[in-house]
Amino acid sequence: MNTAKRQLLLEQLLHLADLSNSAKPFRFAKPWGERVVTEFFAQGDQELLRGLPQSAMTGRSPNALEKLQIAFIQHIVKPTLELTVQKVPEAQLLLQHAIDNIHNWHECMRESQHLQEHSQVQPQHPPQVQPQQPQPQPQLQPQPQPQHHVQYQQQHVQHHQQHHVHYQQQAPPSSPITAAAQRMAPPSPSPSRHHPQ
């Protein structure tokens, strides 16, 4: 291998280092793929806010993560590794990881589509409301008043009657109020007389 080819191979290996996340086991490739696509989406959002045309691979769409990773491995990572393996056979393991990750991303996309189909809101019928039976109202029992309240009410009524009798005795016979009160008052029962046998 001459110097020019050696220099080209070294440049190729350096370029593969930048693409190495897609050629790692899927438990490492998946989170790095998610980070890259998140960065792409953030760029596309800013381009829309500024009224600029969106760059390639920066638009949000269903299953964009899986589609971008599959296309990137198929068209960039896998062909580059296939050429590298011809000169560096040790890179065969990286090529196998890349091929496996294509299948892994396809499986992720199928699972995501399955979840999207089953997460659609199904029409719901309104629940049937059963008429409520009227609840019997509790019977309120009169509470006995304290003894001092009863005594106070009796004293108040007695005082009012005495005041009313006193007012009738003091009012002049010619007063219209007295005359009207006498006309409206019910006749007092006459005391019964007992005749001796």
Side-chain angles (χ1 to χ4, degrees), residues 11-112:
E11 292 177 357
Q12 182 74 0
L13 293 174
L14 182 62
H15 181 60
L16 278 173
D18 188 40
L19 311 178
S20 62
N21 289 326
S22 298
K24 293 179 180 179
F26 194 64
R27 65 179 184 274
F28 301 114
K30 186 174 186 292
W32 279 109
E34 293 171 346
R35 294 185 182 101
V36 170
V37 172
T38 300
E39 183 179 344
F40 288 170
F41 289 164
Q43 175 181 336
D45 293 343
Q46 290 297 319
E47 290 172 345
L48 287 178
L49 289 174
R50 300 172 187 273
L52 301 174
Q54 277 189 316
S55 303
M57 301 184 297
T58 62
R60 297 178 182 271
S61 61
N63 302 113
L65 168 63
E66 295 85 355
K67 293 176 181 178
L68 287 174
Q69 291 301 309
I70 292 171
F72 180 65
I73 297 174
Q74 284 180 337
H75 300 293
I76 304 296
V77 179
K78 183 174 175 286
T80 304
L81 283 171
E82 288 174 342
L83 291 176
T84 305
V85 169
Q86 297 177 10
K87 297 299 180 180
V88 184
E90 294 82 357
Q92 180 64 41
L93 180 60
L94 301 179
L95 177 59
Q96 187 59 49
H97 286 327
I99 295 173
D100 292 342
N101 287 338
I102 293 176
H103 299 289
N104 291 330
W105 282 116
H106 274 293
E107 184 64 25
C108 288
M109 184 163 58
R110 283 191 291 269
E111 293 178 358
S112 177

Side-chain angles (χ1 to χ4, degrees), residues 117-178:
E117 292 174 358
H118 287 77
S119 63
Q120 295 178 355
V121 179
Q122 299 295 332
Q124 298 182 357
H125 299 286
Q128 296 182 358
V129 179
Q130 298 294 335
Q132 297 183 356
Q133 298 296 331
Q135 299 294 331
Q137 297 295 330
Q139 298 294 332
L140 299 178
Q141 299 296 333
Q143 299 294 331
Q145 296 184 357
Q147 186 64 26
H148 64 278
H149 286 183
V150 177
Q151 294 178 355
Y152 174 79
Q153 292 178 356
Q154 293 176 350
Q155 294 175 359
H156 180 72
V157 172
Q158 183 179 5
H159 175 74
H160 178 72
Q161 293 176 348
Q162 293 177 355
H163 179 72
H164 181 67
V165 172
H166 177 72
Y167 175 78
Q168 289 182 345
Q169 293 176 353
Q170 296 296 328
S174 59
S175 171
I177 297 177
T178 303

